[in-house]
Amino acid sequence: MKQNNGQTPNNENLRVVIRVRPPMAREIRDGKFISTVQVAPDNLQLCIFDYHAIELVPDEDLEQYVSNPSNYTLHQFTFDYVYDQDSTQEQVYNTTAALSVDSTLQGYNSTIIAYGQTGTGKTYTMHGFSFNPNSDQLGIIPRSLHNIFNHIQMKSNSSTTFMVRASYLQIYNENISDLLRDSASLNIREDKKRGVFVENLSEWAVRGPAEIYQLMRKGNAKRVTASTRMNDTSSRSHAVFIITVEQIEEKAEGKSAKVGKLNLVDLAGSERVRVTGATGQRLEESKKINQSLSALGNVIAALTENRGTKPHIPYRDSKITRLLEDSLGGNCKTTFMAMISPAIDAFGESLSTLKFANRAKTIKNTPIVNQDGDQGALLRKYQLEIQKLKSELEERTKQPLENLVNELEKEKQKALEDKQEAQSAYEQRSKDLFKETELRKQLEEKISALNSQMLVGGQKIEETPQFQSALEKQQRLIRQQYQEKLTELEKERQSIEEDKAQTDKYKQLLLKQRDIMIALTNRLNDRDETILQLQEELDVYEKLQKENEDQLHSKQIRLEQFEELLLENKVEIPLVLQNQKQFNKEKVVDIQNDLQIQKLESIPVQTLHTNQQVQSDALISYELKNQIEINKQIQFDLKLTRTELDKYKNELDQLKKKQNTEQNTLIENARKSVDRILEQLTSQQSEQSLGNVAKELNQLQKMLKQGQQPARGHMKGQYSFSKSTSDSPNKIILINKQNDQMAKSTGQLVKLMQMKPQPKQNQSPVQSSKLKQKQKSVEDLWSQI
Ligand code: ADP
Ligand code: MG
């Protein structure tokens, strides 16, 4: 067995306690756990078993192996307190942390440092992973604050005033950051009044337990965020919760102030971080953790070496040692809490932690109460401020309200006047400024005008600023004009393009119209052909109609014969037959008749046999029915033919009317011609005039022949209706006859006229009587016309 020290722990300024955490589920095999640590019942001593080559022992032999003393070496330690695995948070607080809190309340600087391998319970001991004030899991931080508030409450009737503030920081990769406020990396400063402190670290006044949890939540959330981002940062960073308690006590001899500070430090895992294989951020992080923990070890080593001379303490080698300068060998009451795991796997780390803790025991701290002088500065400042405000308020309450109102009114008036004054001053300044600007502008223009007229010595004219600026101006102008021209051209191009598009559109439209015209012309041609075909069909229909009429007639005769036959057989003439007869007589095709025939058809056949007639009756009846069918068909055909005929007759009438007007014009012309002949015959008896008459008559004859031919030709070529269809053709024929007669008479007359005339003077009475005769015959002719 090795006895590591024989000292009894009695240094109340620096206490070292050990806490052994309970085994974790993963460390228990088959419900059995082999612990390397044994805590003495007095809670002051602890043994740690160094089992030799235990890793080579099979699981089943372990129990026997560990019970044999020859298989292990025992290390024994004595501390201020040793908590075994069954210790509670409350016990830890009451027997260790509460002492630090008390010191703080007395005005000392106190520090509790949790040291140990990762996963040994440092954070659990400091925080406790609970925000419930009644939870037994609460760690040292919340319990300390509860304790402080209880203390304050107990003193509420006394003349002591308290002020409690909290700060929370983190050191990660040698950077200090505020866990209660977003901030950049913070720096450590030191001054005579405050000692070592973190510059710009936020301090939060805490007035009750609720605010403690608020701050813890806030800080832990920030630490957790960092953890998720930086992978288990929480065990790779140092976290320090600082509680400052300021108090001023009023005593008969005067006021006394005290300031106590409680630093609750949760260090990064003390295990040696393996640097091998780590790169980048991990490597840097590992280096920094090792660096800061070694610095801590070095500081403790330097503090505990007993050389007689004042040694150099390397506080400045790391942020954490610098920050804890007062706590390590300075003005502070410090408690080291070393956490260890009882598991065999953790033996090496546990032993080194215990050795470290054991060494720390010899650190000598010299704490003093931070009292009077500048202590409690903030609280004092606040108190003075409150005092000042109170007296001011008192002063004001002494004055009557009216005075205050008047004063206010005066102040208001003054403020208004000030405002007006300021405004007018501002306006004046604005005016001045404007004038000044104008003046400067004018001067500048003048200078440039003068400059432009001067040649600058030692310089080429084109290098002078005046020339350059003029050139630039000109270039700007040209560029602008060029740009404008370009825009114009672009506009023109666009409009041409639009016109082109429009023209194309019209062209397409015209082409379409042309196609439509062609199609229409084709259709007209088709129509012409159809008309010609219809004309031919009309001829056929006419023929058909004639035949139908003949057929109808023969049917009529047949019916009459049937009637006679019925009479002979003394059969009553059926109503059907009577009606049919009547119908045939009228030869009228209309809807009424059609309806009647339908009615007849609906008469039952039996009605025709009422008289129980012989077979011939049935035959007759059958014949009759057939006949009715045929008649119906004929009537339908007739109806169709009539409609067609009516159509063509209308067209014919129009043509006739046209022809009549032409004939009338012809007759009128002929009449005029005859008038002229008569006039010549009566007025001039010369050979010349007779020749003229003969010519005139010849023309008349030709005219009459021409007038007849086209009309007749047209009639013959186009239509050939019988006289009975209309009375207009009769008229035409009559006129044609008259024309023929006139032509004949005119022919005689021409012959007469063509006889060689005698000279005037040799005219004999016979000749004059002949002339009279001619005249008479012409007059007769005229009267015939
Ligand atoms: P560290 O901060 O030292 O890395 P933690 O405080 O995070 O370790 O503890 C690691 C785990 O062990 C946590 O789950 C914690 O609840 C548990 N633990 C530590 N100490 C104790 C204890 N004394 N009693 C019960 N559980 C504990
Ligand atoms: Mg932790």
Side-chain angles (χ1 to χ4, degrees):
M1 189 208 267
K2 285 188 180 178
Q3 185 75 36
N4 284 68
N5 75 35
Q7 285 178 345
T8 319
N10 57 8
N11 181 359
E12 67 160 44
N13 295 333
L14 196 133
R15 280 173 296 126
V16 179
V17 301
I18 308 295
R19 191 177 191 188
V20 184
R21 73 144 164 81
M24 287 181 169
R26 63 178 159 83
E27 294 164 339
I28 302 167
R29 289 179 206 163
D30 302 329
K32 285 171 200 156
F33 177 74
I34 293 162
S35 177
T36 57
V37 181
Q38 205 171 12
V39 179
D42 61 359
N43 288 104
L44 294 173
Q45 291 191 350
L46 153 153
C47 296
I48 183 162
F49 298 87
D50 182 3
Y51 297 106
H52 309 138
I54 198 165
E55 59 278 4
L56 304 173
V57 182
D59 280 359
E60 56 273 22
D61 302 336
L62 268 178
E63 220 167 328
Q64 202 195 343
Y65 184 82
V66 298
S67 60
N68 185 351
S70 62
N71 290 332
Y72 59 79
T73 310
L74 196 65
H75 302 267
Q76 194 183 351
F77 295 91
T78 305
F79 293 101
D80 291 294
Y81 208 100
V82 181
Y83 297 96
D84 67 15
Q85 60 182 57
D86 299 321
S87 62
T88 62
Q89 296 280 66
E90 194 183 9
Q91 280 169 352
V92 173
Y93 180 78
N94 288 342
T95 49
T96 301
L99 301 174
S100 302
V101 174
D102 286 346
S103 302
T104 306
L105 287 169
Q106 284 162 28
Y108 289 103
N109 290 339
S110 307
T111 298
I112 300 173
I113 300 170
Y115 180 91
Q117 188 191 356
T118 301
T120 49
K122 297 184 295 292
T123 310
Y124 175 77
T125 304
M126 284 301 181
H127 291 266
F129 305 118
S130 175
F131 301 104
N132 177 2
N134 301 317
S135 169
D136 54 8
Q137 297 290 300
L138 289 179
I140 291 169
I141 297 172
R143 281 174 197 272
S144 302
L145 283 159
H146 275 292
N147 198 353
I148 291 165
F149 287 123
N150 284 340
H151 177 83
I152 294 168
Q153 227 169 9
M154 271 159 60
K155 286 218 160 192
S156 62
N157 290 332
S158 79
S159 50
T160 312
T161 313
F162 289 88
M163 188 181 201
V164 183
R165 301 193 299 274
S167 302
Y168 200 7
L169 65 88
Q170 173 184 255
I171 304 174
Y172 174 72
N173 271 357
E174 288 299 278
N175 281 321
I176 302 175
S177 57
D178 196 329
L179 285 174
L180 298 180
R181 186 174 71 174
D182 287 335
S183 73
S185 180
L186 304 173
N187 294 315
I188 297 169
R189 293 264 182 274
E190 186 179 6
D191 69 24
K192 272 186 188 162
K193 282 184 204 164
R194 293 177 66 182
V196 177
F197 67 96
V198 178
E199 195 181 35
N200 293 328
L201 180 68
S202 66
E203 281 194 307
W204 300 74
V206 190
R207 282 151 299 185
E211 287 173 357
I212 306 166
Y213 298 104
Q214 209 178 326
L215 291 178
M216 277 172 66
R217 264 208 191 89
K218 201 171 172 182
N220 286 358
K222 266 198 124 184
R223 207 178 171 193
V224 167
T225 313
S227 165
T228 47
R229 206 174 55 226
M230 292 162 193
N231 195 8
D232 197 20
T233 317
S234 61
S235 61
R236 290 165 177 272
S237 72
H238 311 296
V240 185
F241 197 96
I242 305 161
I243 302 167
T244 310
V245 182
E246 282 188 18
Q247 49 188 304
I248 291 174
E249 196 179 359
E250 286 188 42
K251 291 178 188 168
E253 62 267 26
K255 283 182 184 177
S256 79
K258 279 190 282 191
V259 177
K261 212 174 221 183
L262 179 62
N263 301 306
L264 301 164
V265 186
D266 181 6
L267 289 177
S270 66
E271 71 279 2
R272 285 279 128 190
V273 187
R274 283 189 197 89
V275 179
T276 337
T279 52
Q281 188 182 315
R282 267 283 182 209
L283 177 67
E284 205 54 35
E285 190 184 77
S286 305
K287 275 188 198 165
K288 292 280 158 63
I289 294 166
N290 289 342
Q291 189 185 321
S292 68
L293 289 171
S294 339
L296 184 63
N298 294 339
V299 166
I300 288 167
L303 285 169
T304 53
E305 271 172 12
N306 200 357
R307 287 198 208 132
T309 51
K310 206 180 172 190
H312 166 73
I313 315 294
Y315 291 116
R316 288 174 184 258
D317 282 3
S318 79
K319 290 275 162 66
I320 189 73
T321 47
R322 178 98 175 92
L323 189 69
L324 297 177
E325 193 173 326
D326 275 340
S327 312
L328 303 165
N331 174 21
C332 191
K333 288 192 171 198
T334 301
T335 302
F336 265 103
M337 292 188 94
M339 319 290 171
I340 56 166
S341 159
I344 290 169
D345 294 346
F347 171 79
E349 290 297 339
S350 300
L351 184 64
S352 78
T353 302
L354 289 170
K355 281 181 179 168
F356 175 87
N358 200 45
R359 193 155 196 196
K361 284 196 299 190
T362 52
I363 297 172
K364 295 258 182 305
N365 274 10
T366 48
I368 48 155
V369 175
N370 306 315
Q371 199 171 11
D372 297 328
D374 287 332
Q375 299 304 326
L378 198 64
L379 188 59
R380 223 184 267 272
K381 197 178 142 196
Y382 281 10
Q383 276 186 333
L384 283 174
E385 185 74 24
I386 289 166
Q387 199 54 47
K388 200 180 140 200
L389 287 170
K390 267 185 187 167
S391 59
E392 210 172 297
L393 187 70
E394 259 171 40
E395 197 62 36
R396 288 198 170 269
T397 40
K398 273 180 203 162
Q399 289 179 10
L401 204 62
E402 217 169 285
N403 282 359
L404 276 174
V405 173
N406 282 343
E407 220 170 88
L408 263 175
E409 193 55 45
K410 268 184 201 165
E411 271 178 27
K412 191 180 153 194
Q413 199 58 38
K414 195 171 178 306
L416 273 173
E417 281 169 16
D418 285 353
K419 192 183 156 193
Q420 265 173 357
E421 208 173 293
Q423 208 159 355
S424 57
Y426 171 75
E427 277 164 14
Q428 189 56 43
R429 288 287 296 274
S430 300
K431 274 180 198 163
D432 290 351
L433 190 71
F434 182 71
K435 266 187 202 164
E436 181 72 22
T437 325
E438 280 296 302
L439 215 67
R440 275 190 200 183
K441 217 166 128 188
Q442 280 171 11
L443 280 172
E444 272 168 9
E445 275 169 9
K446 235 178 196 172
I447 290 166
S448 75
L450 285 170
N451 272 340
S452 67
Q453 290 170 26
M454 281 191 303
L455 283 170
V456 181
Q459 262 183 325
K460 284 182 187 169
I461 186 78
E462 57 268 29
E463 281 171 2
T464 59
Q466 294 81 18
F467 182 84
Q468 286 294 335
S469 77
L471 187 71
E472 268 170 30
K473 208 170 159 187
Q474 201 58 31
Q475 278 175 342
R476 260 205 306 280
L477 203 73
I478 290 167
R479 234 176 277 139
Q480 198 184 334
Q481 281 173 352
Y482 176 73
Q483 203 58 39
E484 279 166 9
K485 198 82 196 161
L486 263 182
T487 330
E488 245 171 60
L489 278 170
E490 179 57 24
K491 265 186 199 161
E492 256 174 54
R493 192 188 64 80
Q494 274 177 6
S495 85
I496 287 169
E497 216 133 87
E498 278 166 17
D499 286 353
K500 207 180 141 200
Q502 197 71 14
T503 317
D504 282 352
K505 223 163 111 188
Y506 286 142
K507 204 172 142 188
Q508 290 298 325
L509 219 68
L510 281 171
L511 281 171
K512 243 188 212 167
Q513 277 181 356
R514 193 193 64 178
D515 289 347
I516 293 166
M517 289 293 282
I518 289 168
L520 280 173
T521 319
N522 287 342
R523 267 171 70 183
L524 279 173
N525 287 342
D526 289 350
R527 279 266 295 274
D528 284 351
E529 272 176 30
T530 321
I531 289 168
L532 284 175
Q533 273 174 13
L534 282 172
Q535 271 180 3
E536 281 167 20
E537 273 172 34
L538 184 69
D539 291 345
V540 179
Y541 280 136
E542 227 180 2
K543 217 174 131 194
L544 213 75
Q545 196 201 7
K546 182 83 185 63
E547 279 170 15
N548 281 337
E549 275 172 359
D550 291 348
Q551 240 180 0
L552 195 68
H553 185 66
S554 69
K555 299 292 167 200
Q556 183 69 31
I557 293 164
R558 194 105 182 266
L559 262 177
E560 277 165 8
Q561 283 170 359
F562 278 130
E563 211 179 84
E564 277 167 26
L565 198 73
L566 288 172
L567 281 173
E568 271 171 32
N569 289 315
K570 290 177 184 166
V571 179
E572 194 188 334
I573 300 166
L575 190 65
V576 181
L577 203 60
Q578 284 175 15
N579 283 342
Q580 187 63 34
K581 199 179 153 195
Q582 183 63 28
F583 172 78
N584 285 346
K585 268 183 194 165
E586 283 172 2
K587 294 182 185 173
V588 177
V589 182
D590 57 22
I591 299 161
Q592 283 294 331
N593 283 349
D594 287 348
L595 282 171
Q596 210 170 3
I597 289 160
Q598 277 170 20
K599 267 185 208 164
L600 291 173
E601 278 179 334
S602 65
I603 296 168
V605 183
Q606 284 92 330
T607 51
L608 295 171
H609 299 275
T610 44
N611 292 344
Q612 303 292 315
Q613 283 296 323
V614 283
Q615 231 179 349
S616 63
D617 286 356
L619 204 75
I620 291 161
S621 179
Y622 175 76
E623 274 282 342
L624 274 170
K625 250 194 149 184
N626 253 356
Q627 198 55 52
I628 289 162
E629 274 302 312
I630 294 161
N631 281 351
K632 256 163 79 182
Q633 187 59 44
I634 292 165
Q635 279 156 20
F636 181 71
D637 290 347
L638 270 171
K639 206 174 165 186
L640 269 182
T641 318
R642 285 251 168 98
T643 329
E644 288 286 328
L645 271 173
D646 286 347
K647 193 177 141 198
Y648 290 129
K649 269 177 197 166
N650 279 340
E651 284 177 22
L652 197 61
D653 281 350
Q654 276 170 8
L655 272 171
K656 276 176 199 163
K657 270 180 202 162
K658 199 180 160 200
Q659 199 142 2
N660 275 347
T661 20
E662 278 173 13
Q663 285 288 344
N664 287 340
T665 327
L666 203 69
I667 289 165
E668 187 58 34
N669 285 344
R671 191 188 288 271
K672 277 180 188 165
S673 203
V674 170
D675 278 347
R676 275 199 299 275
I677 292 163
L678 272 176
E679 203 182 314
Q680 287 206 349
L681 282 174
T682 47
S683 60
Q684 291 176 349
Q685 301 293 321
S686 66
E687 211 175 313
Q688 171 78 24
S689 67
L690 278 174
N692 283 346
V693 171
K695 267 185 198 169
E696 196 68 62
L697 279 170
N698 256 330
Q699 270 178 7
L700 182 63
Q701 202 173 14
K702 268 185 207 165
M703 197 163 69
L704 286 171
K705 271 180 188 166
Q706 276 170 4
Q708 282 167 353
Q709 272 163 5
R712 278 186 187 163
H714 181 76
M715 284 296 288
K716 276 178 188 168
Q718 304 274 327
Y719 304 101
S720 56
F721 290 105
S722 63
K723 282 180 202 169
S724 59
T725 49
S726 162
D727 59 351
S728 305
N730 283 344
K731 249 185 199 168
I732 296 166
I733 289 162
L734 181 73
I735 292 162
N736 285 346
K737 268 185 185 170
Q738 284 172 348
N739 287 347
D740 279 347
Q741 228 173 350
M742 222 161 80
K744 271 182 202 163
S745 318
T746 321
Q748 287 168 7
L749 200 64
V750 169
K751 271 180 197 166
L752 276 173
M753 293 297 137
Q754 278 172 346
M755 285 191 306
K756 203 180 175 182
Q758 296 294 320
K760 223 181 176 179
Q761 60 269 38
N762 298 334
Q763 266 183 357
S764 61
V766 184
Q767 279 167 333
S768 69
S769 69
K770 270 182 186 175
L771 191 65
K772 274 179 188 167
Q773 233 177 333
K774 275 180 204 172
Q775 242 175 329
K776 195 176 177 295
S777 60
V778 171
E779 275 166 6
D780 289 345
L781 235 168
W782 184 237
S783 64
Q784 276 176 38
I785 292 165

